[in-house]
Amino acid sequence: MSDTLRPRAALRTAVVWEVLQDALERRAKATGRPALDVLDTGGGSGNFAVPVARLGHRVTVVDPSPNALFALERRAAEADVADRVRGVQGDAHGLFDVVERGGYDVVLCHGVLEYVEDPAEGVRNTVAALRPEGVLSLLAAGLGGAVFSRALAGHFKEARQALDDPNGRWGAGDPVPRRFTADQLSGLVEGAGLRVGAVHGVRVFADFVPGGLVDTEPGALDALLKLEAAAAELAAFHSVATQLHVLGEAPAAEGA
Ligand SMILES: C[S@@+](CC[C@H](N)C(=O)[O-])C[C@H]1O[C@@H](n2cnc3c(N)ncnc32)[C@H](O)[C@@H]1O
């Protein structure tokens, strides 16, 4: 995906995309089915759903926003994958009103947990949509990244407030209702019965680097992407990442 995106967008998604692509490949190999059934909860206009469909998988996007679903339909048609992308209006809480329980090889929940009323229930529902040995790709806003960015922008009181606030919000004007630590996200995934396969920090440096530097300096984007990829793996950087990605693996079927 990164070669077709603008540099800034590539920086935002590269780490998650690499981890996700690898998980899809491993699942396809393990199941012996090259076309997997993928569910994207809160998939919006298809930032991940469309590239996943371009790999040949069948993707169902559940999202409460009719506008996002309309944009998804248009985007899927433009990418020539309309036959593999299905948009359904619904939300994480009433997920099984609109999709099949236990019907998916891989479930994405990217940038959604921040907005749902009950994150634990949201994660339990995404997990209940998985087949045995299925994989959950969970991406959510990181607490430490927000504290760090408010402080570096000179908003020290807001940084302190985010640090003290149980939901990691820096004030009434904060557009994000909830942020998480890596431990909290891992706890939600394990609490829903999955094994945590990997945790990655996303956008550790990217949001702080002046745009001009990445866009004009030869080789800078590539070097920054490599730096992000290396730091993503290290727990020390998880505490300052803008987003956190957790890969959860469902157990095998009983008696398997
Ligand atoms: C920040 S966007 C992320 C979109 C996409 N997952 C991505 O990574 O680009 C959040 C999405 O979550 C959706 N959303 C908000 N509340 C939700 C809920 N309770 N259940 C499912 N999706 C929800 C929004 O409509 C929006 O499309």
Side-chain angles (χ1 to χ4, degrees):
M1 179 169 68
S2 53
D3 24 314
T4 59
L5 290 178
R6 283 170 294 123
R8 285 272 141 194
L11 272 173
R12 281 199 296 274
T13 55
V15 166
V16 179
W17 181 244
E18 289 300 319
V19 175
L20 179 61
Q21 222 176 337
D22 182 59
L24 288 163
E25 262 172 40
R26 279 188 286 123
R27 208 61 220 121
K29 203 176 270 183
T31 58
R33 286 182 283 111
L36 297 171
D37 293 305
V38 178
L39 174 66
D40 192 352
T41 51
S45 60
N47 283 340
F48 285 91
V50 169
V52 168
R54 286 177 73 174
L55 296 175
H57 305 296
R58 291 177 290 270
V59 189
T60 301
V61 173
V62 174
D63 201 285
S65 160
N67 287 347
L69 292 172
F70 180 71
L72 167 74
E73 200 178 308
R74 207 177 42 203
R75 212 160 159 185
E78 279 166 13
D80 210 14
V81 291
D83 57 332
R84 293 200 291 279
V85 176
R86 184 170 72 102
V88 185
Q89 196 172 1
D91 71 31
H93 292 296
L95 195 57
F96 302 112
D97 295 342
V98 291
V99 300
E100 189 193 345
R101 198 177 277 272
Y104 296 88
D105 300 297
V106 176
V107 175
L108 276 55
C109 182
H110 289 179
V112 181
L113 221 52
E114 299 89 325
Y115 302 94
V116 301
E117 263 171 49
D118 179 348
E121 189 206 14
V123 173
R124 279 197 302 273
N125 278 354
T126 59
V127 168
L130 285 172
R131 290 180 176 144
E133 298 182 69
V135 173
L136 170 67
S137 172
L138 179 64
L139 178 70
L143 167 67
V147 174
F148 214 63
S149 81
R150 293 324 281 171
L152 288 193
H155 303 301
F156 307 121
K157 285 186 183 160
E158 290 178 355
R160 179 61 203 267
Q161 182 160 343
L163 201 55
D164 292 341
D165 184 76
N167 292 320
R169 303 187 72 221
W170 48 254
D174 189 340
V176 179
R178 198 180 282 109
R179 296 186 177 85
F180 303 86
T181 64
D183 282 350
Q184 283 172 333
L185 285 182
S186 295
L188 288 172
V189 167
E190 284 169 349
L194 300 192
R195 191 184 80 84
V196 170
V199 180
H200 287 86
V202 181
R203 288 156 58 189
V204 173
F205 310 103
D207 297 353
F208 303 114
V209 176
L213 202 133
V214 176
D215 300 334
T216 56
E217 194 76 22
L221 175 63
D222 195 42
L224 181 52
L225 283 167
K226 287 190 173 118
L227 177 65
E228 286 281 356
E233 306 265 352
L234 302 175
F237 289 100
H238 296 169
S239 50
V240 291
T242 301
Q243 290 176 302
L244 295 159
H245 183 256
V246 177
L247 207 63
E249 297 165 355
E254 270 176 43

